[in-house]
Amino acid sequence: MLSQRLNVEFQNVVSSSSLLFFYYVVIMFLVSLLCYGSECIKANAQSCGECIQVAEKCGWCTDENFLRDGESKTVRCDDIGSLSAKKCVKIENPRGNINININKDVTNRKKDQADKLKPEQITQIQPQKLTLNLRSGEPLTFNLKFKRAEDYPIDLYYLMDLSFSMKDDLENVKNLGTHLMREMQEITSDFRIGFGSFVEKTVMPYISTTPARLANPCIGNYNCTSPFSYKNVLSLTNDGNQFNNLVSQQQISGNLDSPEGGFDAIMQVAVCEGKIGWRNVTRLLVFSTDAGFHFAGDGKLGGIVLPNDGKCHLENNMYTMSHYYDYPSIAHLVQKLSDHNIQTIFAVTEEFQPVYKELKNLIPKSAVGTLSSNSSNVIKLIIDSYNSLSSEVILENSRVPEGVTISYKSVCKNGVTGTGEGGRKCSNISIGDEVSFQISVESTKCPSHNSETIKIKPLGFTEEVEVVLNFICECECSKGGVPNSKDCHNGNGTLECGACKCNAGRIGGKCECSKDELRTEDLDANCRRDNGTDICSNNGECVCGTCECKTRENPAEIYNGKYCECDNFNCDRSGNKLCGGHGQCECRMCVCEANYTGSACDCSLDTSTCLAKNGQICNGRGTCECGECKCTNPKFQGSTCEICPTCPGVCPEHKDCVQCRAFGGEGDKLACEQSCGYLTLVKVARRDDLPQPTDQSFPLTHCKERDANDCWFYYTFAVRNDTPEAYVVEELECPAGPDIIPIVVGVVAGIVLIGLALLLIWKLLMIIHDRREFAKFEKEKMNAKWDTGENPIYKSAVTTVVNPKYEGK
């Protein structure tokens, strides 16, 4: 029983918690609707186009008869739920959508397939073109798929520092072409390689400009070539032997300072696509050096102040403008490398690793490898760096229009996801792996152009996704506008989306006024109620002689009326609820629902709450007013006048009358008949013959009372048809007298038993005492020290004395 009760209590608690949670959800939902509506109302949108740009939840009501007296056309703009609640039928609420224009599947091919595809026939990203119709505040999300194609072509350009410190490295690079071609065959069957070199700008203080040092900048017996800024030795080719032959003909040069002019060379390699021979494939630039670099601003040391223009200046494969343009900045270099999809591998010595690692962090899709002192490990470095770069895909997008935001979420290998900046990339991708990106585009306003195009591409790859953005800045209903409509005061405006859009120089809800002909005094008189002083009851503005009522932050609260004299929120309240929650506030008066009345609709006409247990209204002792009992007898109280703290109760109240009528009782029989004649008495033989409550259609009370002789009598009391009646059991139930003999026998037996118990206890105590005394005697006898045959007080008369110096002689 206890477990069942606990279970019931637990279920009650759970149901109560669920109910509270439900109320919380409903309240939060209503609050959110209120906030959205408030945002739409606050915007004061004058047209449908302005309205739909406020927020995703805003709509425009195009019903012609939607507005009430005094309401401005800005009231047409509200959240969809509020407009529907206001009985608007035609709501303009355009939604954004996505159209996929080009959607070629990604390429699935193997390296050993006989048919070779051209680079432009290989697809690694899907889809290729989309059109997004954007509405302000509504994000649109599309999926982009990327898959690394097997046997994808690679162009590799080796850019080498040929300053004097790299003389031993040149020897190891002379056979790089054929060796690298052989190693790259494991990755792709379509591989091309090129070579370029750089030293420094050919002006002081970077090099010595004396004729002898210009001819041979090296010191000692070394024969070096004249210094130069950048030279394209070999454009991209698939002939490794040609690479070896041309590189073997190269000579070391020299300069004065330690940093080199490598940035000039990288810029020219990136922008001179045609002369380098770049294809639309994977582009790798290997930058090999054992020194640092000059960057923008360093050219001032040589008197060069013009910033680098980022254009190609190769003539006869030599950079000819190094003395004219400054070194490029890092940001400029990053932009050009990204624009031309070039992935950079910095092959530098251990000494300059920290510098180039910092540079790598600034250049996306770049890698740094440690070059041995003589470049003997350059092939392994290139292979490792390529594998590292190609295993990562990073998405970037072109400049987005103002007010447009893009967010990325990546779903990478093994289900790994990323968001924020991490949502732009996936790592540890092998050839043939497929990853996807969820790209969300949102617009917060309409830009100056209704259509813009952005491009999304993976860094280091030539493929890209074209995304066309069309902005929903006008409603469809605006296309059906009626210019110079008669509904707009004889053609002074365009009837558009249910409202008048006034021509230049016209104002008013129906464009009925001209700005040039307005006289404020005359117009204000039309906005005063009963010739009063308040314009539009201080609840609106007088526009063209007509009151346009104010809007409130709460869209459910409105002013209306010809003079804005009415509202729906200043009615009487009950229980902190407008019109008690049982009516509508119209023009500051409560219009109550059925069964309710009163100024605050707080008076219920329903009498069911006043019914007592006996079926009578207020127990027959009061009146039902506004659903509550007003007790006429002050002794009675409670919600149905059934509680009487000072009343004796039905049974004690009628006890004397029932007793004297049924059993004679005490006192005068005549007086009993006179005072208790109101009671109809019926006698029954047994208690079982008494009426039961379930057998009656009227309240019935069972009573049990005791008379002066301690006898019980049983009866029922009820009021039938306004007549009190009592059913009484005719035999009294009196208690029997006591039986004397058992009592006496019991008392005597008790006394005898108590005496025997006392004797037994005394005997037991005496035995215990004797045994203790005897044990004590035995113990003392055992402890005695004297002999029984000797007098303990006898002392001998002989005394023996020993000479201490006696030696026994």
Side-chain angles (χ1 to χ4, degrees), residues 59-355:
W60 179 271
C61 182
T62 61
D63 293 352
E64 293 187 9
N65 299 321
F66 175 71
L67 299 179
R68 291 184 284 186
D69 289 341
E71 288 186 331
S72 170
K73 61 183 176 183
T74 59
V75 178
R76 292 180 177 272
C77 182
D78 207 339
D79 69 271
I80 308 302
S82 296
L83 292 177
S84 299
K86 294 177 183 177
K87 310 300 182 185
C88 178
V89 178
K90 300 177 183 178
I91 301 176
E92 194 74 16
N93 182 32
R95 313 307 301 175
N97 57 78
I98 300 175
N99 297 318
I100 299 178
N101 308 115
I102 303 176
N103 192 28
K104 291 170 56 179
D105 291 334
V106 292
T107 302
N108 292 307
R109 71 163 187 166
K110 299 296 182 182
K111 181 180 176 184
D112 53 357
Q113 282 182 332
D115 55 328
K116 297 297 182 182
L117 299 177
K118 296 180 180 179
E120 58 271 14
Q121 295 176 317
I122 299 175
T123 302
Q124 298 184 107
I125 194 166
Q126 180 188 0
Q128 293 77 42
K129 183 177 180 180
L130 306 94
T131 299
L132 274 60
N133 297 311
L134 286 173
R135 178 183 169 177
S136 295
E138 180 186 14
L140 295 180
T141 302
F142 62 91
N143 290 326
L144 188 148
K145 183 193 302 182
F146 179 85
K147 182 177 182 180
R148 277 190 62 192
E150 188 172 351
D151 197 28
Y152 194 70
I154 299 174
D155 284 352
L156 185 147
Y157 191 87
Y158 195 92
L159 183 60
M160 185 174 181
D161 176 11
L162 286 188
S163 59
F164 184 75
S165 58
M166 294 285 287
K167 61 183 183 300
D168 53 346
D169 298 78
L170 181 59
E171 292 299 323
N172 287 315
V173 177
K174 288 181 179 180
N175 294 320
L176 177 65
T178 54
H179 292 169
L180 188 57
M181 292 286 285
R182 184 165 53 251
E183 293 291 335
M184 293 301 289
Q185 287 296 324
E186 298 294 327
I187 298 174
T188 176
S189 59
D190 188 357
F191 176 71
R192 300 196 311 164
I193 189 170
F195 185 82
S197 59
F198 66 92
V199 181
E200 187 55 276
K201 288 184 180 295
T202 55
V203 296
M204 284 288 290
Y206 311 110
I207 65 168
S208 175
T209 55
T210 60
R213 296 299 296 276
L214 281 176
N216 183 7
C218 297
I219 301 174
N221 298 323
Y222 290 100
N223 186 19
C224 299
T225 188
S226 299
F228 56 91
S229 177
Y230 162 66
K231 182 197 303 183
N232 177 31
V233 178
L234 175 64
S235 298
L236 291 163
T237 178
N238 54 9
D239 188 350
N241 292 323
Q242 185 184 8
F243 180 92
N244 293 346
N245 293 334
L246 288 176
V247 172
S248 63
Q249 299 173 14
Q250 302 305 305
Q251 290 182 295
I252 291 296
S253 184
N255 61 322
L256 295 180
D257 60 344
S258 175
E260 315 294 1
F263 277 16
D264 273 342
I266 294 176
M267 178 63 75
Q268 293 305 301
V269 171
V271 299
C272 298
E273 283 189 328
K275 295 184 178 181
I276 300 299
W278 292 115
R279 298 177 296 172
N280 286 331
V281 296
T282 299
R283 300 175 175 181
L284 298 178
L285 170 61
V286 179
F287 182 84
S288 176
T289 184
D290 64 349
F293 50 82
H294 286 295
F295 53 90
D298 288 352
K300 293 180 181 179
L301 297 173
I304 303 172
V305 295
L306 286 179
N308 195 287
D309 63 351
K311 295 180 180 180
C312 182
H313 297 289
L314 285 185
E315 294 183 10
N316 297 323
N317 287 325
M318 297 289 291
Y319 179 39
T320 58
M321 301 298 286
S322 67
H323 64 287
Y324 191 75
Y325 289 114
D326 194 3
Y327 302 98
S329 66
I330 295 176
H332 196 187
L333 209 59
V334 170
Q335 177 192 349
K336 292 301 179 181
L337 289 172
S338 177
D339 290 345
H340 296 276
N341 305 307
I342 296 175
Q343 303 178 58
T344 310
I345 300 173
F346 295 104
V348 297
T349 55
E350 183 70 32
E351 180 184 358
F352 288 94
Q353 281 285 309
V355 175

Side-chain angles (χ1 to χ4, degrees), residues 387-406:
N387 290 332
S388 174
L389 289 173
S390 60
S391 66
E392 183 177 57
V393 57
I394 303 175
L395 294 185
E396 68 167 0
N397 54 266
S398 59
R399 187 190 65 84
V400 296
E402 185 180 358
V404 176
T405 58
I406 300 182

Side-chain angles (χ1 to χ4, degrees), residues 264-489:
D264 273 342
I266 294 176
M267 178 63 75
Q268 293 305 301
V269 171
V271 299
C272 298
E273 283 189 328
K275 295 184 178 181
I276 300 299
W278 292 115
R279 298 177 296 172
N280 286 331
V281 296
T282 299
R283 300 175 175 181
L284 298 178
L285 170 61
V286 179
F287 182 84
S288 176
T289 184
D290 64 349
F293 50 82
H294 286 295
F295 53 90
D298 288 352
K300 293 180 181 179
L301 297 173
I304 303 172
V305 295
L306 286 179
N308 195 287
D309 63 351
K311 295 180 180 180
C312 182
H313 297 289
L314 285 185
E315 294 183 10
N316 297 323
N317 287 325
M318 297 289 291
Y319 179 39
T320 58
M321 301 298 286
S322 67
H323 64 287
Y324 191 75
Y325 289 114
D326 194 3
Y327 302 98
S329 66
I330 295 176
H332 196 187
L333 209 59
V334 170
Q335 177 192 349
K336 292 301 179 181
L337 289 172
S338 177
D339 290 345
H340 296 276
N341 305 307
I342 296 175
Q343 303 178 58
T344 310
I345 300 173
F346 295 104
V348 297
T349 55
E350 183 70 32
E351 180 184 358
F352 288 94
Q353 281 285 309
V355 175
Y356 283 90
K357 283 183 179 179
E358 290 294 330
L359 182 62
K360 168 191 172 295
N361 295 333
L362 301 174
I363 302 179
K365 291 295 284 186
S366 62
V368 177
T370 303
L371 188 68
S372 62
S373 59
N374 58 2
S375 297
S376 58
N377 67 331
V378 67
I379 293 180
K380 183 179 184 304
L381 186 152
I382 292 173
I383 298 295
D384 292 344
S385 298
Y386 168 73
N387 290 332
S388 174
L389 289 173
S390 60
S391 66
E392 183 177 57
V393 57
I394 303 175
L395 294 185
E396 68 167 0
N397 54 266
S398 59
R399 187 190 65 84
V400 296
E402 185 180 358
V404 176
T405 58
I406 300 182
S407 60
Y408 295 83
K409 179 182 179 181
S410 59
V411 182
C412 305
K413 191 175 179 180
N414 299 325
V416 178
T417 61
T419 56
E421 284 302 310
R424 291 177 175 265
K425 66 180 181 179
C426 282
S427 302
N428 300 321
I429 303 173
S430 304
I431 293 175
D433 288 342
E434 183 176 289
V435 296
S436 63
F437 297 87
Q438 295 177 6
I439 303 175
S440 182
V441 183
E442 183 177 359
S443 171
T444 56
K445 66 177 183 178
C446 281
S448 56
H449 302 288
N450 287 340
S451 182
E452 297 279 355
T453 300
I454 61 175
K455 293 183 178 181
I456 301 174
K457 69 174 184 178
L459 283 174
F461 294 85
T462 57
E463 297 176 69
E464 62 187 14
V465 179
E466 182 180 352
V467 183
V468 179
L469 305 180
N470 295 327
F471 299 93
I472 303 175
C473 300
E474 289 294 339
C475 300
E476 284 294 323
C477 59
S478 62
K479 298 178 181 178
V482 182
N484 303 319
S485 172
K486 293 181 179 180
D487 293 329
C488 298
H489 199 267

Side-chain angles (χ1 to χ4, degrees), residues 721-735:
N721 299 327
D722 297 330
T723 300
E725 64 179 18
Y727 282 76
V728 188
V729 179
E730 58 186 1
E731 292 294 336
L732 293 171
E733 188 177 291
C734 296

Side-chain angles (χ1 to χ4, degrees), residues 697-749:
S697 58
F698 47 87
L700 181 72
T701 304
H702 276 259
C703 299
K704 176 183 177 182
E705 296 294 337
R706 185 165 55 184
D707 63 10
N709 298 321
D710 287 336
C711 294
W712 295 96
F713 61 94
Y714 300 88
Y715 67 94
T716 63
F717 179 83
V719 178
R720 186 191 312 192
N721 299 327
D722 297 330
T723 300
E725 64 179 18
Y727 282 76
V728 188
V729 179
E730 58 186 1
E731 292 294 336
L732 293 171
E733 188 177 291
C734 296
D739 193 350
I740 300 299
I741 295 175
I743 295 174
V744 172
V745 172
V747 170
V748 171

